[in-house]
Amino acid sequence: MFVKCSDIINIMEEYANPNLAEDWDNVGLMVGDENRNINKILVALDIDDKIIEEAIEKKCDMIITHHPFIFKGIKSIKASDTLGARIIKLIKNNICVFSAHTNLDIARNGTNDTLAKLLNLEKISNLFEKDNSSVGLGRVGELSETMTFSHLIDNVKKVLNLSNLVVSGDLDTPVKKVGICTGAGGEVDFMLQAISKGCDVYITGDIKYHNSQVANDLGLCLIDATHYASEAIILPVICDYINSCARRLNMDIECIVSNVNGQTLNIV
């Protein structure tokens, strides 16, 4: 069965409805022809030159990213610009690009639900509600048993495959209720929301120093799991979802996770 780009878009939008995306966000088909036949899909967090080369080398017809490939409005596409050169290269190689961002953060089984599952959280609810939807941004859940903050830190390192974490709070603090927001949720209003939900600890990425001081004064423990690590966990989930849909719908496509996509900032 021939599979068009539009078929993959429909599958992804069933998973992460674009109507869930924040108003400032940019989601959907970024580059390409909806009628293009798709045989192989590469899933990555972002697109850079290495990702494009990987897609070409592995003969992929489509790249699905979490972060929008085109985020802000552009006035020109020129080979002398980094973004322009990448767009031109993608078009020359007939590679479509689709992005699902905040809609995937909010969706069921999206980034936040995936982190909640990895941490074995129970009694899960939304950190923020989304209009009248049953889903929202971030999640709140309970650990199966109360543990020390230090123990939870070790668990987060394990599930995210990290050697180091930036944390704030007394390591001996008993924690039970956990708030999470994958990606960049380090603003004070997010922390205050976690406190209002009764959270003992809040896990996110991109936490600013002075914001951590506010949380510390209010008795909220913090874990900065990094923007990258808290969201890269969704890549195999996307891939498994597409491959399972392909089997169910008898679609002749293959979806793979990028081997080269990685964070540009490292703790060494």
Side-chain angles (χ1 to χ4, degrees):
M1 173 182 174
F2 287 110
V3 181
K4 294 187 179 296
C5 176
S6 58
D7 296 321
I8 304 302
I9 292 172
N10 290 337
I11 287 173
M12 282 300 299
E13 290 187 346
E14 286 179 9
Y15 178 17
N17 191 320
N19 292 328
L20 294 176
E22 299 291 345
D23 293 339
W24 49 262
D25 203 2
N26 187 31
V27 301
L29 185 65
M30 304 277 152
V31 175
D33 181 357
E34 291 186 355
N35 292 313
R36 169 93 162 95
N37 286 335
I38 305 296
N39 295 297
K40 195 171 185 180
I41 302 167
L42 183 70
V43 179
L45 202 64
D46 303 276
I47 287 184
D48 59 16
D49 295 330
K50 291 181 180 180
I51 294 294
I52 296 174
E53 285 300 324
E54 182 182 19
I56 295 170
E57 179 184 338
K58 294 180 177 178
K59 303 186 186 308
C60 295
D61 314 291
M62 187 174 189
I63 302 173
I64 293 178
T65 69
H66 178 44
H67 294 140
F69 175 55
I70 299 173
F71 192 56
K72 297 180 180 179
I74 54 177
K75 295 183 177 180
S76 62
I77 300 174
K78 299 184 291 185
S80 57
D81 295 334
T82 300
L83 179 59
R86 289 171 180 168
I87 293 172
I88 292 169
K89 192 167 188 177
L90 288 163
I91 292 173
K92 281 184 176 180
N93 287 277
N94 291 316
I95 298 174
C96 298
V97 176
F98 177 90
S99 302
H101 190 215
T102 52
N103 51 326
L104 187 58
D105 294 326
I106 292 170
R108 291 296 176 208
N109 299 316
T111 58
N112 284 286
D113 277 339
T114 297
L115 181 55
K117 288 177 183 176
L118 287 173
L119 293 173
N120 294 315
L121 298 184
E122 303 171 348
K123 301 178 181 177
I124 295 172
S125 59
N126 301 321
L127 181 62
F128 289 95
E129 303 302 326
K130 177 70 174 177
D131 302 324
N132 295 318
S133 173
S134 62
V135 292
L137 185 60
R139 297 290 186 267
V140 173
E142 294 185 5
L143 299 166
S144 59
E145 59 182 10
T146 301
M147 62 180 67
T148 63
F149 183 37
S150 178
H151 189 177
L152 177 61
I153 291 168
D154 289 338
N155 287 351
V156 173
K157 286 180 181 178
K158 183 177 180 180
V159 301
L160 296 183
N161 193 28
L162 292 171
S163 300
N164 301 281
L165 286 170
V166 175
V167 304
S168 173
D170 186 337
L171 298 181
D172 293 325
T173 301
V175 296
K176 174 72 171 179
K177 200 166 189 180
V178 181
I180 60 174
C181 184
T182 56
E187 298 305 316
V188 171
D189 57 337
F190 281 68
M191 298 174 187
L192 294 177
Q193 182 71 0
I195 291 171
S196 74
K197 294 281 187 173
C199 296
D200 305 303
V201 58
Y202 175 56
I203 304 171
T204 188
D206 295 350
I207 297 175
K208 296 177 181 178
Y209 170 69
H210 290 295
N211 292 352
S212 71
Q213 289 182 310
V214 174
N216 186 65
D217 290 341
L218 294 172
L220 179 68
C221 294
L222 298 177
I223 296 178
D224 190 326
T226 76
H227 195 134
Y228 172 81
S230 67
E231 292 189 326
I233 53 176
I234 197 63
L235 303 184
V237 178
I238 295 172
C239 198
D240 288 346
Y241 167 74
I242 292 175
N243 284 329
S244 65
C245 287
R247 289 190 294 271
R248 176 170 55 85
L249 300 172
N250 196 29
M251 291 178 164
D252 187 18
I253 55 170
E254 178 186 5
C255 187
I256 60 173
V257 175
S258 168
N259 288 327
V260 302
N261 193 48
Q263 56 186 328
T264 55
L265 298 175
N266 295 283
I267 298 175
V268 295

